[in-house]
Amino acid sequence: MAISSTVNSLHWGSLPFRDPVAVAAFYGFHFLAFLLAVWGIFSCTSLWTFRSTYHTPLPGIPYNRDAATRLMGDLTEMKEWMAKGRMRYWFLELAGRHGSAISQVFLGPFAKPAIVVSDYREVKDILSHRDAVDFKRGLKTSVFAGILPHSFAALETYDPGFKANRELMRDLMRPSTLSSLNAPHINRIAQDVVYIWRLKSRTSGPDSWFDVSKQIFYFCFDTIFTAALGLDEQDGVIKSERNTLDHMTRPLSETEAIGKPPDIPIELQGSDAADKVLALGVVAKALANSFYVPWPRLYHKLNKLRPSVRRSWRTLQDHISSSIAKINPDTTPTVALEYLIQRERTAAAREGRQPLIHDPRIRDNLYGYILAGHDTTAGALIWCVRQLLAHPDWQRKIRTDLHATYPYAHREGRLPTVTELTTDHCAVLDAFIEEVMRLTAPVITVMVATKCDTQILGHHIPKNTQVFCNLSGASINMPSARVVESSRSETSKAYKSYTKKENWDDDEPELFKPERWLVPVDGGGGKMRFDGAAGPMLGFSAGNRGCWGKRLAYLEMRMFLSIVIWELELEEVEEFKGRWETYESLVTAPRECVVRVKDACGWDAQV
């Protein structure tokens, strides 16, 4: 009774009953319902989260079915290609896999689809006529903004500062500037490379072999750094290595030479790389890594906290600062830095202000000039030498045509002069270089993003979609994928005739055939000329954001290869035939380039 009285005295609010058992059951039921609701919400959230890892494809565009149901999407398969140094080639084979010039890929958890375009005409159209209208650089601007925020590479084409930045750099790619500024350095340093290779061969023995990638890498560094900042001749890495090797006159003993394992090239040790080479390598690696992270600006901000990265930036910055201090404003510019400062002084006088000698635009654009002029050209040159080894018949054809192009030099038993090399072009060499760039370009694909909702080959592509434009692959060095003409954009239809053909399907696109770029000279008695419009090639990208240093790269390749082929015969080493393994950094290049060197000139060349 006491308990009953106590319970009856409680205030039960609006409950329709007063039985304590019923009350307990009432609250127990609601508590259980609450737990079930929580469990249901958790289950639905988990299911939604799980299902969201199933990537939602854009309708009508082919894709890898397995990737759509994997958390990492296509990254799982791409990782396998990356381990072989061929991750970028994965993008090229999609057209053949799907039988389509457009496909979509899923690059990580919760990632929206990215588009891959594998068709010369459509890529050329996107880069040349739809840039800044339908497309932007997107993530690529963040990649450069995190490391070179004041360079034109970090700006969208429609950014008001882009034009001014490009104007600042305009003089550096004029043919007259290249001939006077870059060509003499290229000529001198290329001859030093030939000297080193010949000396290595003669010191080690006629059957010796070695990897030449290092000297090509250093050659490109010395030429661009000298042109950019006036690197003293004796401070060059190639010159330093030459001086070191000059003191190594003892030939290797037979045991030392033959005792080397066949897969380890004989390597005479030259000087250590200069601090500036190491610094540039650190910066280039950081730039390459930032292409593979979702937040490039944050990556660069954190990466710059590392002591090695801080030292590298300080090394480069100190060299620029000391170079600025040496500039005489009353003299004619002789290096890229002086050209930039002269243009800034001219602009300041026109605008009635003091010149900004330490303008960060000058610094960052100069860094960009050095980075772009080094890695891409080094990669292209290593590909060229590797193809020379694989095609000795073309090496002989080039040498014969060089002698015909520069007959006075050949008769007089000397190398062509800088003036001769920059005035007259060897058609067979030009065709060879173009074919290397078509078949094994160092840059395989470029990335842009849609600026607005747009169409690509008849498919609706949402705003801010990443688009990979293949500069190689289908229609360029692989069979093209069929494209319905009506699906192309209006600008693609209007500018159809970029070249004499829009694919190489009728001329064995996978084969190395430099003759595809040679046509007979009218009334020339069988003489051939180079025709760069013979067919599609995008080795230097295209449009307003195509490779800014294209002219410089061609100049370096032409002069370097002319001097090397004129002086030396490069032979492929039997143990390395058929080995085409690559590595990937800012560019894709052969992992090794092993040669056996012999004299090729018809006179007693002096070492």
Side-chain angles (χ1 to χ4, degrees), residues 125 154 196 198 238 281 302-303 349 375 400 403 424 455 464 602:
D125 179 55
I196 289 172
R198 182 181 282 133
I238 291 295
L302 296 176
N303 190 54
D375 276 58
T400 299
H403 294 165
D424 298 317
Q455 296 266 326
N464 291 326

Side-chain angles (χ1 to χ4, degrees), residues 154-187:
L155 301 173
E156 293 286 359
T157 309
Y158 50 81
D159 190 300
F162 173 74
K163 186 176 180 180
N165 257 286
R166 284 292 290 263
E167 183 70 14
L168 181 69
M169 302 288 287
R170 187 182 63 185
D171 290 341
L172 298 184
M173 289 301 135
R174 292 181 185 273
S176 58
T177 304
L178 293 173
S179 296
S180 61
L181 173 61
N182 301 85
H185 301 306
I186 297 170
N187 181 70

